[in-house]
Amino acid sequence: MKTSVIVTAVLAFFALVTAFQSVYVVDQTEKAIVLQLGKPTGDAKGPGLHFKIPFIQNVVFFDARLLEYDAKTAEVLTLDKKNLVVDNYARWRIANPLLFYRTLRTVGRAHARLDDIIYAELRVALGQYTLQDIVSEKRAVIMGEVTQKSNQLLSPYGIDIVDVRIKRTDLPPENAQAIYGRMRAERERQAKLYRSEGWEEMEKIKSGADKDRAVLLAEAERQAEVLRGVGDAEAASIWAEAVTKAPDFFSFTRSLEAYQKALAHKTRLVLTPQSTFFKYFR
Protein backbone atom coordinates (compact mmCIF):
# COMPACT_ATOMS: atom_id res chain seq x y z
CA MET A 1 0.00 0.00 0.00
CA LYS A 2 2.78 2.40 0.94
CA THR A 3 4.67 1.55 -2.24
CA SER A 4 1.70 2.40 -4.45
CA VAL A 5 1.22 5.73 -2.64
CA ILE A 6 4.88 6.65 -3.16
CA VAL A 7 4.73 5.71 -6.84
CA THR A 8 1.56 7.74 -7.26
CA ALA A 9 3.17 10.77 -5.57
CA VAL A 10 6.29 10.49 -7.72
CA LEU A 11 4.21 10.20 -10.87
CA ALA A 12 2.12 13.22 -9.82
CA PHE A 13 5.28 15.21 -9.14
CA PHE A 14 6.75 14.36 -12.54
CA ALA A 15 3.42 15.14 -14.18
CA LEU A 16 3.35 18.55 -12.48
CA VAL A 17 6.94 19.28 -13.49
CA THR A 18 6.20 18.19 -17.05
CA ALA A 19 3.15 20.46 -17.13
CA PHE A 20 5.22 23.43 -15.94
CA GLN A 21 7.89 22.61 -18.49
CA SER A 22 5.30 22.43 -21.27
CA VAL A 23 4.00 26.03 -20.97
CA TYR A 24 5.61 29.43 -20.96
CA VAL A 25 4.34 33.01 -20.89
CA VAL A 26 5.64 35.81 -23.09
CA ASP A 27 5.23 39.28 -21.61
CA GLN A 28 3.76 42.07 -23.73
CA THR A 29 7.15 43.82 -23.75
CA GLU A 30 8.92 40.70 -25.07
CA LYS A 31 9.22 38.29 -27.95
CA ALA A 32 10.45 34.71 -27.66
CA ILE A 33 11.89 31.95 -29.80
CA VAL A 34 11.87 28.24 -29.02
CA LEU A 35 15.12 26.28 -29.21
CA GLN A 36 15.19 22.54 -29.70
CA LEU A 37 18.55 21.07 -28.85
CA GLY A 38 20.07 24.54 -29.30
CA LYS A 39 18.51 25.23 -32.72
CA PRO A 40 15.61 27.65 -33.29
CA THR A 41 12.29 26.14 -34.31
CA GLY A 42 9.35 28.00 -35.74
CA ASP A 43 8.76 31.75 -35.78
CA ALA A 44 9.09 34.24 -32.95
CA LYS A 45 6.30 34.13 -30.41
CA GLY A 46 4.37 37.20 -29.33
CA PRO A 47 2.76 37.99 -25.94
CA GLY A 48 0.58 35.28 -24.40
CA LEU A 49 0.57 31.67 -23.20
CA HIS A 50 2.46 29.15 -25.37
CA PHE A 51 3.39 25.49 -25.25
CA LYS A 52 6.64 23.60 -25.90
CA ILE A 53 8.02 20.11 -25.63
CA PRO A 54 9.31 19.67 -22.07
CA PHE A 55 12.99 18.94 -21.41
CA ILE A 56 13.79 19.04 -25.16
CA GLN A 57 12.84 22.59 -26.01
CA ASN A 58 13.77 25.78 -24.14
CA VAL A 59 12.77 29.40 -24.66
CA VAL A 60 14.91 32.51 -25.20
CA PHE A 61 13.29 35.89 -24.54
CA PHE A 62 14.13 39.19 -26.25
CA ASP A 63 13.05 42.71 -25.35
CA ALA A 64 10.56 44.04 -27.93
CA ARG A 65 10.79 47.64 -26.76
CA LEU A 66 13.00 50.41 -28.09
CA LEU A 67 16.53 49.97 -26.82
CA GLU A 68 19.14 52.68 -26.44
CA TYR A 69 22.81 52.33 -27.21
CA ASP A 70 25.12 55.05 -25.89
CA ALA A 71 28.35 54.96 -27.89
CA LYS A 72 31.74 55.97 -26.59
CA THR A 73 33.14 59.31 -27.70
CA ALA A 74 35.28 59.12 -30.83
CA GLU A 75 37.16 61.50 -33.11
CA VAL A 76 36.08 62.28 -36.66
CA LEU A 77 37.60 64.49 -39.38
CA THR A 78 35.36 67.06 -41.11
CA LEU A 79 35.51 68.21 -44.73
CA ASP A 80 37.48 71.33 -43.75
CA LYS A 81 40.06 69.15 -41.93
CA LYS A 82 38.82 69.87 -38.41
CA ASN A 83 39.02 67.16 -35.74
CA LEU A 84 35.85 66.70 -33.71
CA VAL A 85 35.17 64.56 -30.66
CA VAL A 86 31.65 63.21 -31.18
CA ASP A 87 29.39 61.67 -28.53
CA ASN A 88 26.43 59.90 -30.14
CA TYR A 89 23.66 57.47 -29.24
CA ALA A 90 21.24 55.25 -31.16
CA ARG A 91 17.75 53.95 -30.53
CA TRP A 92 17.07 50.50 -31.96
CA ARG A 93 14.85 47.44 -31.66
CA ILE A 94 15.08 43.74 -32.35
CA ALA A 95 12.82 43.54 -35.41
CA ASN A 96 13.44 39.85 -36.18
CA PRO A 97 14.31 37.84 -33.06
CA LEU A 98 14.97 34.64 -35.01
CA LEU A 99 17.45 36.33 -37.34
CA PHE A 100 18.95 38.22 -34.43
CA TYR A 101 19.60 35.00 -32.51
CA ARG A 102 21.13 33.27 -35.53
CA THR A 103 23.55 36.15 -36.28
CA LEU A 104 24.31 37.86 -32.97
CA ARG A 105 22.59 35.86 -30.20
CA THR A 106 23.13 38.46 -27.40
CA VAL A 107 22.58 42.17 -26.88
CA GLY A 108 26.25 42.59 -25.98
CA ARG A 109 27.32 41.37 -29.42
CA ALA A 110 24.65 43.60 -30.94
CA HIS A 111 26.19 46.61 -29.20
CA ALA A 112 29.59 45.75 -30.62
CA ARG A 113 28.12 45.54 -34.13
CA LEU A 114 26.21 48.80 -33.61
CA ASP A 115 29.40 50.49 -32.48
CA ASP A 116 31.33 49.38 -35.57
CA ILE A 117 28.71 50.21 -38.17
CA ILE A 118 27.28 53.44 -36.74
CA TYR A 119 30.71 54.89 -36.03
CA ALA A 120 31.89 54.04 -39.55
CA GLU A 121 28.82 55.63 -41.14
CA LEU A 122 29.04 58.64 -38.84
CA ARG A 123 32.68 59.18 -39.76
CA VAL A 124 31.89 58.94 -43.49
CA ALA A 125 28.89 61.28 -43.24
CA LEU A 126 30.62 63.95 -41.14
CA GLY A 127 33.62 63.81 -43.47
CA GLN A 128 31.41 65.21 -46.24
CA TYR A 129 30.47 68.37 -44.33
CA THR A 130 32.32 71.29 -42.78
CA LEU A 131 32.42 72.10 -39.10
CA GLN A 132 29.98 74.97 -39.64
CA ASP A 133 27.48 72.61 -41.31
CA ILE A 134 27.72 70.04 -38.52
CA VAL A 135 27.01 72.49 -35.72
CA SER A 136 24.24 74.29 -37.66
CA GLU A 137 20.87 73.29 -39.09
CA LYS A 138 22.36 70.61 -41.38
CA ARG A 139 22.95 68.27 -38.44
CA ALA A 140 19.45 66.80 -38.77
CA VAL A 141 20.09 65.98 -42.45
CA ILE A 142 23.41 64.32 -41.57
CA MET A 143 21.81 62.23 -38.83
CA GLY A 144 19.06 61.16 -41.22
CA GLU A 145 21.67 59.90 -43.68
CA VAL A 146 23.53 58.01 -40.94
CA THR A 147 20.29 56.44 -39.67
CA GLN A 148 19.24 55.28 -43.13
CA LYS A 149 22.60 53.73 -44.07
CA SER A 150 23.09 52.13 -40.65
CA ASN A 151 19.62 50.60 -40.86
CA GLN A 152 20.42 49.08 -44.27
CA LEU A 153 23.63 47.52 -42.95
CA LEU A 154 22.09 46.21 -39.72
CA SER A 155 18.86 44.79 -41.14
CA PRO A 156 20.59 41.44 -42.02
CA TYR A 157 21.13 41.02 -38.27
CA GLY A 158 17.43 41.44 -37.46
CA ILE A 159 18.00 44.96 -36.07
CA ASP A 160 15.94 48.03 -36.91
CA ILE A 161 17.67 51.40 -36.30
CA VAL A 162 15.06 53.96 -35.34
CA ASP A 163 17.27 57.00 -34.78
CA VAL A 164 20.90 58.06 -34.50
CA ARG A 165 21.71 61.35 -32.78
CA ILE A 166 24.77 63.35 -31.76
CA LYS A 167 24.55 64.36 -28.11
CA ARG A 168 27.62 66.53 -28.08
CA THR A 169 30.47 67.70 -30.31
CA ASP A 170 33.72 68.99 -28.85
CA LEU A 171 37.10 69.98 -30.14
CA PRO A 172 40.09 67.88 -29.12
CA PRO A 173 41.93 69.47 -26.17
CA GLU A 174 45.04 70.11 -28.26
CA ASN A 175 43.02 72.02 -30.88
CA ALA A 176 40.59 73.84 -28.62
CA GLN A 177 43.05 76.45 -27.32
CA ALA A 178 44.33 77.27 -30.81
CA ILE A 179 40.81 77.69 -32.19
CA TYR A 180 39.71 79.73 -29.17
CA GLY A 181 42.79 81.93 -29.69
CA ARG A 182 41.89 82.51 -33.34
CA MET A 183 38.29 83.24 -32.40
CA ARG A 184 39.45 85.74 -29.77
CA ALA A 185 41.83 87.44 -32.23
CA GLU A 186 39.04 87.68 -34.79
CA ARG A 187 36.65 89.20 -32.25
CA GLU A 188 39.32 91.70 -31.15
CA ARG A 189 39.92 92.64 -34.78
CA GLN A 190 36.20 93.20 -35.30
CA ALA A 191 36.03 95.22 -32.07
CA LYS A 192 38.88 97.47 -33.24
CA LEU A 193 37.17 97.88 -36.60
CA TYR A 194 33.87 98.82 -34.97
CA ARG A 195 35.69 101.17 -32.58
CA SER A 196 37.52 102.94 -35.41
CA GLU A 197 34.29 103.23 -37.38
CA GLY A 198 32.67 104.70 -34.27
CA TRP A 199 35.45 107.28 -33.86
CA GLU A 200 35.17 108.18 -37.55
CA GLU A 201 31.43 108.63 -37.24
CA MET A 202 31.94 110.72 -34.09
CA GLU A 203 34.38 113.01 -35.90
CA LYS A 204 31.91 113.40 -38.76
CA ILE A 205 29.15 114.32 -36.33
CA LYS A 206 31.41 116.77 -34.46
CA SER A 207 32.59 118.46 -37.67
CA GLY A 208 29.00 118.69 -38.88
CA ALA A 209 27.93 120.18 -35.55
CA ASP A 210 30.84 122.70 -35.63
CA LYS A 211 29.90 123.67 -39.18
CA ASP A 212 26.25 124.15 -38.22
CA ARG A 213 27.35 126.21 -35.20
CA ALA A 214 29.56 128.45 -37.34
CA VAL A 215 26.75 128.92 -39.87
CA LEU A 216 24.25 129.73 -37.10
CA LEU A 217 26.64 132.22 -35.46
CA ALA A 218 27.42 133.89 -38.79
CA GLU A 219 23.73 134.17 -39.61
CA ALA A 220 22.98 135.56 -36.14
CA GLU A 221 25.82 138.10 -36.49
CA ARG A 222 24.57 139.13 -39.89
CA GLN A 223 21.06 139.58 -38.60
CA ALA A 224 22.45 141.53 -35.61
CA GLU A 225 24.40 143.86 -37.93
CA VAL A 226 21.31 144.36 -40.07
CA LEU A 227 19.20 145.17 -37.02
CA ARG A 228 21.96 147.39 -35.61
CA GLY A 229 22.16 149.25 -38.90
CA VAL A 230 18.41 149.65 -39.02
CA GLY A 231 18.45 150.90 -35.44
CA ASP A 232 21.30 153.34 -36.10
CA ALA A 233 19.54 154.62 -39.18
CA GLU A 234 16.33 155.08 -37.26
CA ALA A 235 18.21 156.80 -34.41
CA ALA A 236 19.96 159.13 -36.88
CA SER A 237 16.64 159.91 -38.49
CA ILE A 238 15.07 160.70 -35.12
CA TRP A 239 18.08 162.79 -34.13
CA ALA A 240 18.07 164.70 -37.40
CA GLU A 241 14.37 165.39 -37.02
CA ALA A 242 14.94 166.60 -33.48
CA VAL A 243 17.80 168.89 -34.57
CA THR A 244 15.65 170.33 -37.31
CA LYS A 245 12.89 171.15 -34.85
CA ALA A 246 15.16 172.61 -32.09
CA PRO A 247 18.64 173.58 -33.38
CA ASP A 248 19.49 175.72 -30.30
CA PHE A 249 18.73 172.89 -27.92
CA PHE A 250 20.86 170.55 -30.07
CA SER A 251 23.79 173.03 -29.92
CA PHE A 252 23.35 173.35 -26.15
CA THR A 253 23.38 169.57 -25.53
CA ARG A 254 26.40 169.09 -27.78
CA SER A 255 28.27 171.78 -25.89
CA LEU A 256 27.45 170.11 -22.57
CA GLU A 257 28.82 166.83 -23.89
CA ALA A 258 31.97 168.63 -25.05
CA TYR A 259 32.40 170.25 -21.60
CA GLN A 260 31.99 166.88 -19.93
CA LYS A 261 34.67 165.24 -22.08
CA ALA A 262 37.10 168.19 -22.29
CA LEU A 263 37.04 169.20 -18.63
CA ALA A 264 37.37 165.73 -17.12
CA HIS A 265 40.43 164.53 -15.17
CA LYS A 266 41.74 168.00 -14.27
CA THR A 267 42.19 169.09 -17.87
CA ARG A 268 43.73 172.52 -18.47
CA LEU A 269 42.66 174.68 -21.39
CA VAL A 270 44.05 178.03 -22.45
CA LEU A 271 41.20 179.93 -24.07
CA THR A 272 39.97 183.55 -24.17
CA PRO A 273 36.71 184.33 -22.47
CA GLN A 274 35.30 185.37 -25.78
CA SER A 275 35.90 181.87 -27.23
CA THR A 276 32.81 180.25 -28.69
CA PHE A 277 33.65 177.15 -26.60
CA PHE A 278 32.47 179.03 -23.48
CA LYS A 279 29.46 180.41 -25.21
CA TYR A 280 27.00 178.88 -22.75
CA PHE A 281 29.08 179.93 -19.70
CA ARG A 282 28.47 183.58 -20.42
Side-chain angles (χ1 to χ4, degrees):
M1 186 67 178
K2 289 184 178 181
T3 303
S4 61
V5 172
I6 293 173
V7 170
T8 303
V10 170
L11 291 176
F13 174 75
F14 276 106
L16 186 61
V17 171
T18 302
F20 275 110
Q21 286 289 325
S22 300
V23 297
Y24 63 94
V25 177
V26 180
D27 189 76
Q28 60 183 358
T29 62
E30 296 176 327
K31 288 185 178 181
I33 61 172
V34 178
L35 303 180
Q36 183 171 328
L37 302 177
K39 294 182 180 181
T41 60
D43 297 328
K45 306 300 181 181
L49 181 66
H50 301 277
F51 297 91
K52 65 181 180 65
I53 300 174
F55 307 111
I56 298 176
Q57 294 180 337
N58 62 298
V59 182
V60 178
F61 297 92
F62 297 98
D63 200 330
R65 296 170 294 183
L66 276 179
L67 305 176
E68 189 168 301
Y69 170 63
D70 194 357
K72 296 181 293 184
T73 57
E75 285 194 16
V76 297
L77 185 66
T78 64
L79 182 63
D80 51 350
K81 308 303 179 184
K82 298 292 193 306
N83 285 325
L84 278 181
V85 178
V86 178
D87 186 7
N88 67 285
Y89 73 95
R91 288 185 294 174
W92 62 287
R93 65 162 59 93
I94 301 174
N96 189 333
L98 191 60
L99 184 58
F100 180 84
Y101 181 80
R102 286 174 177 171
T103 55
L104 297 174
R105 289 185 180 268
T106 63
V107 174
R109 291 183 179 179
H111 282 174
R113 180 56 62 187
L114 285 170
D115 194 20
D116 293 340
I117 292 178
I118 292 177
Y119 172 65
E121 293 303 321
L122 190 65
R123 184 173 57 185
V124 171
L126 295 181
Q128 299 174 358
Y129 294 88
T130 64
L131 176 61
Q132 182 66 29
D133 294 334
I134 295 171
V135 298
S136 64
E137 68 279 358
K138 289 188 179 180
R139 178 181 291 190
V141 177
I142 300 172
M143 291 299 98
E145 295 176 359
V146 174
T147 302
Q148 181 181 2
K149 293 181 179 179
S150 299
N151 196 32
Q152 292 175 357
L153 294 173
L154 287 166
S155 59
Y157 299 96
I159 293 176
D160 182 20
I161 300 296
V162 177
D163 194 16
V164 177
R165 292 290 172 182
I166 293 178
K167 292 194 297 183
R168 184 176 178 181
T169 55
D170 288 320
L171 295 170
E174 60 272 14
N175 295 344
Q177 293 301 323
I179 292 178
Y180 291 155
R182 288 199 297 270
M183 292 173 62
R184 181 175 180 179
E186 178 63 20
R187 295 298 179 271
E188 289 179 352
R189 186 190 65 81
Q190 291 183 353
K192 289 180 180 178
L193 177 61
Y194 293 152
R195 195 176 293 113
S196 63
E197 290 177 351
W199 281 105
E200 181 181 356
E201 190 66 22
M202 182 190 72
E203 292 298 329
K204 288 181 181 179
I205 294 173
K206 286 179 63 178
S207 62
D210 292 341
K211 179 181 177 182
D212 293 341
R213 175 177 174 274
V215 170
L216 290 174
L217 289 175
E219 180 64 21
E221 187 67 25
R222 186 189 66 81
Q223 292 182 0
E225 291 296 330
V226 170
L227 293 175
R228 193 178 294 113
V230 172
D232 291 344
E234 187 174 354
S237 176
I238 295 172
W239 187 261
E241 185 179 355
V243 170
T244 303
K245 291 182 179 179
D248 293 337
F249 179 75
F250 172 72
S251 177
F252 175 70
T253 56
R254 290 300 295 267
S255 296
L256 291 180
E257 291 177 359
Y259 295 156
Q260 185 179 8
K261 294 180 180 180
L263 301 178
H265 306 294
K266 300 180 180 181
T267 303
R268 293 184 180 183
L269 297 175
V270 180
L271 297 172
T272 61
Q274 287 78 22
S275 174
T276 56
F277 185 72
F278 292 110
K279 174 182 178 181
Y280 292 100
F281 279 92
R282 294 193 297 268

